[in-house]
Amino acid sequence: MPARGLTVPYRIAGDHVFEALFRFFFDHSPAVFAQGEIRWAAWAGSFVAVAVTAVAIAAAVASYRTGSRLGVRDRVVLTTLRVLLLLLVLACLFRPVLVVRAAVPQQNVVGVLLDDSRSMGIADMDGQPRAAYVRSAFGTPQTGLLGDLADRFAVRVFRFSSTATRAGAGADLAFAGTETRLGASLTAARQELAGLPLAGLVMVSDGADTADAALGEALLGLRAEGVPVFTVGVGRETLDRDIQIGRVATPRIALKGTTLLVDVVIAQKGFDGQTVTLDVEDEGRIVSTQQVALPTGGAPATVPVRITVENEGPRVLRFRVPALPGELVADNNQREALIDVRDRREKVLYFEGEPRFELKFIRRAVTEDENVEVVALQRTADNKYLRLGVDDADELVAGFPKTRDELFAYRGLVLGSIEAGSFTGDQLRMIAEFVDRRGGGLLALGGPRAFSEGGYAGTAVADVLPVVLDPALRDKQSPLLRLNVRPTRAGAASAVTQVAPTEAASVERWNSLPVVTAVNRLDAVKPGATVLLSASDASRRDYPVLVYQRYGRGKAFAFTPQDSWVWQMHASIPVEDLTHENYWRQLLRWLVDEVPDQVEIRTSSDRVEPGSTVPFTASVADAAFVELNDASVVATIMGPDGAVSDVTMAWGGEKAGEYQGSFAAETPGWYNLRVQATRAGATVGAASAHVRAAPGEQEYFDATLRAGTLRRIAEETGGRYYVAGSTDTLSDDLRYTGRGVTTIEEHDLWHMPIVLLLLVGLLTAEWGYRRVVGLP
């Protein structure tokens, strides 16, 4: 009965010292043992050999037991060494052989996938680019590693970046691919070689996968068909000297004139403590520049950058650090971000319960802002209102909106000192739905009739607000609080509270502002809320001033002072000071930021590769923001050459109100998408978006060797991972995968060097121990 050989797959990757020692002692590579099974070739006379060995073992045991001069430990040691020696001789008499399935020369196919992406041009291999290794080892079918494979297999060479396509050899590669999709490339090669006697695939790459899709599906297909992948890692796992713009967080849509505070992460290695220049360009024009001191220890630097977007339309902001001497990769020193700047007027409804200066000065702050309009409704007496900024005679003629269609026409809502009792129950629910379902912004201001004192505790509005209300304070008068306002840690990093050109200057300005007052008692904020401004009262107790939280599709703010107009009119404030105006302009812009329309369009990315297909979706809702599944939705796409095409979008059937479509971005440049939705012949709404077709720069970011990814591919498919330049056994390992057209080979094991070494070692050990204990 044959005994099965090793069943544990060989998983040691890159340990070439172990590889060399294993081949020296065992005459074969570990892969041969992993694939084969051990059998015994000489069974004839086996019983005689066993009997003789048994007699010899018994004699050895008896001889050492009778040695009166030996202790128990010495007898055990000497007996064990003699028994092991005899068992090893017995095993050799049986002539063990390793039986393996070896690929028949030139009868099997090997697919070789060579990385053709731009990251292969990085010169991190002793000053040479990664592409140089590919050209050297796989340049022609007659030389290098490709020649070794061609001697045994029918080799099919593929070049890959976004997918795998056939190539002649490594010399044909241009290394110009702008993205790397390992999974898609492996799948393409597997499918093209389907039906052929495939011994395995060889993937030569730095492992930098820029695809969003996971590798799991591609590896599952390879495992299902039993195709092993042998990966060769090219490049270094760390770069000694490099600076990289790691992350830039910008909104995709911004209102014209909005000041953005963008966090730019600069990663670096080898430039500890040096000062670099961070420039921000808008279509070639420098809009911001600042000096950045890089941290020590290789830590990244997070740099807040203040930018005001002034021009309408799609804008490409480029964040750039000039290359420093000694950098291995200069192409990752810049990163681009697309912002779609909208020039439109956003309407905010301000409902105030009594005449007071706060309304006057808030409206004055945005008078010159062409993109924010505050429509005021001020109660002057019971059922009598003053309307300011209305578009026509019918707007708000009956007071606060009584229908969702009327309220949802606004994008922001400000509640002044107005008690909850002035609303009906349905109106209070409408306000909550304005934030939750419509996605609008709600701002509650402090005052005698606001918050807990205004009876909002226990209402639907209380659920939306970011502060905790106390029902016991209803209709009560809380003590007057005098507040010195200052930004919190989160507030200092927020664009809303930036009232000076820099963060430090802004904090200093806040500390110098005059005292404001509050008449609302607020002891706690909700767990998910963020306090941006706080204050200390006379007893040094912290008091929230500006609190924010997301709620449903929208957001809610609480601003607790009742007289922020003091920041404009106090005697210590110069006439030309714009702190109050800037603060309220920024807060109201943030209030209406990212508020959705009835029709919204989304693309998978704002930049795609030329020639790729761009999927996009449109969300459609009625005036009450109830999703519509029966609308007629058509997208009009204008390409960079002015060509126009229409795409009829269909409801996807999975998510209410979501319609799907796609188009091909064949030509580099800007694509303008405009979606028009109608229902029963009436217009529901329209939306627009921009997509840029241009080669990406992602290949140069985090461009080190991803050895972990390549190891995973090899291990999960039954292959092996190699480091470039240490692939001597690749051809042998492919020969013994057991796939394709194979023949049976038998390799004798009894005359391996390890057997001779064990025999000599056991004899020497026994003789030496005998001498130690005084035996001849």
Side-chain angles (χ1 to χ4, degrees):
M1 181 71 66
R4 288 294 301 173
L6 300 178
T7 59
V8 178
Y10 174 58
R11 292 181 176 272
I12 299 177
D15 192 346
H16 302 289
V17 174
F18 173 85
E19 171 81 18
L21 291 174
F22 194 99
R23 292 179 67 89
F24 174 78
F25 287 119
F26 294 92
D27 276 344
H28 304 286
S29 71
V32 177
F33 280 85
Q35 189 262 331
E37 63 179 35
I38 297 176
R39 296 179 181 173
W40 308 98
W43 288 97
S46 58
F47 293 108
V48 175
V50 171
V52 172
T53 304
V55 171
I57 291 174
V61 172
S63 64
Y64 282 126
R65 287 189 63 184
T66 58
S68 58
R69 294 165 46 191
L70 298 176
V72 174
R73 186 186 65 179
D74 296 334
R75 288 199 297 270
V76 170
V77 171
L78 290 171
T79 301
T80 301
L81 290 173
R82 179 68 61 84
V83 169
L84 290 175
L85 177 63
L86 293 173
L87 290 176
L88 181 60
V89 172
L90 177 64
C92 292
L93 292 175
F94 283 126
R95 287 189 58 201
V97 294
L98 181 66
V99 180
V100 294
R101 295 169 58 194
V104 178
Q106 299 302 323
Q107 297 297 311
N108 297 278
V109 175
V110 167
V112 178
L113 289 80
L114 304 178
D115 193 336
D116 194 29
S117 66
R118 290 194 289 183
S119 63
M120 298 297 287
I122 296 174
D124 62 345
M125 300 182 70
D126 297 327
Q128 296 296 314
R130 300 166 184 176
Y133 168 78
V134 177
R135 290 193 175 102
S136 173
F138 300 90
T140 66
Q142 292 79 33
T143 60
L145 184 56
L146 188 60
D148 294 342
L149 294 175
D151 291 340
R152 293 183 175 183
F153 304 96
V155 179
R156 303 290 186 268
V157 179
F158 296 83
R159 67 199 308 167
F160 76 91
S161 53
S162 60
T163 189
T165 57
R166 288 293 300 274
D172 300 334
L173 273 60
F175 304 102
T178 56
E179 57 181 343
T180 302
R181 299 184 177 182
L182 300 180
S185 301
L186 287 169
T187 300
R190 173 178 62 82
Q191 291 174 346
E192 181 161 338
L193 299 176
L196 298 177
L198 183 61
L201 296 176
V202 177
M203 171 171 274
V204 184
S205 173
D206 54 18
D209 192 354
T210 61
D212 293 331
L215 276 171
E217 186 175 347
L219 298 182
L220 183 63
L222 290 164
R223 287 201 304 270
E225 296 188 14
V227 179
V229 181
F230 296 80
T231 55
V232 180
V234 185
R236 295 169 56 186
E237 293 191 60
T238 58
L239 301 179
D240 294 334
R241 293 175 64 82
D242 185 51
I243 291 179
Q244 172 178 291
I245 302 293
R247 178 178 57 85
V248 177
T250 61
R252 296 187 67 175
I253 299 175
L255 197 60
K256 180 182 176 181
T258 297
T259 298
L260 306 175
L261 195 61
V262 179
D263 284 336
V264 181
V265 177
I266 303 177
Q268 61 88 20
K269 188 169 185 180
F271 296 97
D272 289 357
Q274 295 195 29
T275 300
V276 297
T277 302
L278 174 62
D279 294 325
V280 184
E281 299 177 2
D282 181 359
E283 306 291 347
R285 178 175 61 90
I286 294 180
V287 295
S288 174
T289 184
Q290 62 187 93
Q291 299 295 306
V292 179
L294 299 177
T296 59
T302 301
V303 185
V305 178
R306 188 183 179 94
I307 307 167
T308 301
V309 287
E310 299 286 359
N311 299 311
E312 180 188 6
R315 313 300 300 177
V316 177
L317 299 181
R318 180 177 290 109
F319 300 81
R320 180 173 58 87
V321 173
L324 297 183
E327 274 198 82
L328 288 175
V329 186
D331 297 275
N332 60 2
N333 285 37
Q334 66 178 21
R335 191 181 283 272
E336 294 180 346
L338 170 65
I339 300 178
D340 195 352
V341 181
R342 305 285 177 85
D343 185 10
R344 64 183 185 185
R345 198 164 181 83
E346 307 281 29
K347 294 183 66 174
V348 177
L349 173 59
Y350 184 154
F351 188 24
E352 183 59 76
E354 59 187 6
R356 61 176 186 159
F357 288 128
E358 198 74 342
L359 170 60
K360 173 183 177 180
F361 284 92
I362 289 176
R363 293 194 74 243
R364 178 185 292 181
V366 297
T367 298
E368 297 181 1
D369 193 328
E370 298 179 355
N371 298 103
V372 176
E373 177 185 5
V374 176
V375 179
L377 181 67
Q378 178 180 290
R379 184 176 60 187
T380 58
D382 290 341
N383 296 322
K384 291 184 179 181
Y385 303 95
L386 172 65
R387 298 179 297 157
L388 300 173
V390 294
D391 292 335
D392 54 57
D394 295 329
E395 185 176 0
L396 302 176
V397 68
F400 191 81
K402 295 178 174 56
T403 66
R404 284 159 178 79
D405 290 8
E406 186 182 1
L407 178 61
F408 290 3
Y410 299 94
R411 302 177 71 82
L413 175 61
V414 180
L415 297 180
S417 183
I418 181 75
E419 68 278 2
S422 63
F423 302 100
T424 66
D426 187 56
Q427 285 177 317
L428 291 171
R429 288 188 293 272
M430 278 170 43
I431 295 173
E433 292 176 11
F434 176 82
V435 180
D436 184 20
R437 194 171 78 191
R438 191 259 183 271
L442 172 65
L443 171 61
L445 305 180
R449 298 180 177 89
F451 298 114
S452 300
E453 291 77 4
Y456 284 94
T459 67
V461 175
D463 296 335
V464 178
L465 292 177
V467 292
V468 178
L469 303 184
D470 185 355
L473 298 177
R474 178 169 181 166
D475 298 329
K476 292 185 179 180
Q477 184 175 357
S478 297
L480 182 71
L481 300 175
R482 300 178 60 83
L483 307 174
N484 290 299
V485 178
R486 63 183 185 278
T488 62
R489 183 184 296 272
S494 172
V496 176
T497 56
Q498 286 277 311
V499 293
T502 66
E503 182 177 321
S506 179
V507 173
E508 183 179 352
R509 183 63 185 132
W510 278 110
N511 292 333
S512 67
L513 289 177
V515 170
V516 293
T517 63
V519 293
N520 303 106
R521 178 179 171 182
L522 297 171
D523 295 326
V525 299
K526 292 182 179 177
T530 302
V531 180
L532 301 177
L533 294 175
S534 65
S536 298
D537 57 19
S539 63
R540 297 183 179 275
R541 185 175 66 92
D542 280 342
Y543 183 82
V545 173
L546 179 63
V547 191
Y548 152 81
Q549 75 170 7
R550 300 292 306 190
Y551 187 86
R553 299 182 69 190
K555 49 188 174 289
F557 298 83
F559 182 69
T560 56
Q562 64 173 348
D563 52 4
S564 68
W565 57 268
V566 172
W567 294 334
Q568 177 66 49
M569 298 302 295
H570 194 271
S572 64
I573 302 296
V575 175
E576 66 276 7
D577 188 275
L578 298 177
T579 301
H580 179 267
E581 287 89 340
N582 289 338
Y583 169 71
W584 278 107
R585 189 176 302 171
Q586 290 167 181
L587 180 55
L588 292 177
R589 279 176 170 266
W590 193 22
L591 185 70
V592 298
D593 181 50
E594 296 183 344
V595 174
D597 293 312
Q598 288 180 237
V599 178
E600 288 282 305
I601 183 172
R602 296 184 303 277
T603 58
S604 57
S605 175
D606 53 25
R607 181 165 73 174
V608 298
E609 295 294 322
S612 61
T613 299
V614 182
F616 59 95
T617 60
S619 300
V620 182
D622 63 13
F625 279 79
V626 177
E627 295 85 358
L628 299 177
N629 297 330
D630 57 350
S632 176
V633 184
V634 178
T636 301
I637 295 97
M638 177 180 289
D641 55 358
V644 177
S645 61
D646 290 336
V647 175
T648 300
M649 304 183 68
W651 177 48
E654 295 183 0
K655 187 175 180 180
E658 187 171 278
Y659 297 76
Q660 299 175 350
S662 65
F663 71 95
E666 299 291 350
T667 307
W670 286 103
Y671 289 81
N672 181 27
L673 286 70
R674 181 171 177 80
V675 172
Q676 184 83 24
T678 59
R679 185 190 190 199
T683 299
V684 176
S688 62
H690 296 86
V691 175
R692 183 186 179 202
E697 303 292 335
Q698 195 59 36
E699 280 290 318
Y700 297 114
F701 292 90
D702 299 322
T704 56
L705 168 62
R706 309 284 182 84
T709 300
L710 297 176
R711 284 192 179 97
R712 177 193 171 193
I713 294 173
E715 292 179 0
E716 291 193 17
T717 59
R720 184 185 170 195
Y721 170 72
Y722 307 83
V723 175
S726 302
T727 55
D728 297 340
T729 64
L730 174 59
S731 182
D732 281 341
D733 293 344
L734 278 164
R735 184 167 178 255
Y736 294 109
T737 61
R739 284 183 49 83
V741 181
T742 60
T743 185
I744 300 299
E745 291 185 356
E746 294 186 354
H747 300 272
D748 287 326
L749 300 179
W750 61 274
H751 57 53
M752 293 186 301
I754 188 65
V755 176
L756 177 61
L757 291 174
L758 286 174
L759 286 172
V760 173
L762 289 172
L763 283 172
T764 303
E766 184 183 4
W767 175 81
Y769 201 88
R770 289 174 62 90
R771 301 289 295 177
V772 169
V773 299
L775 294 179

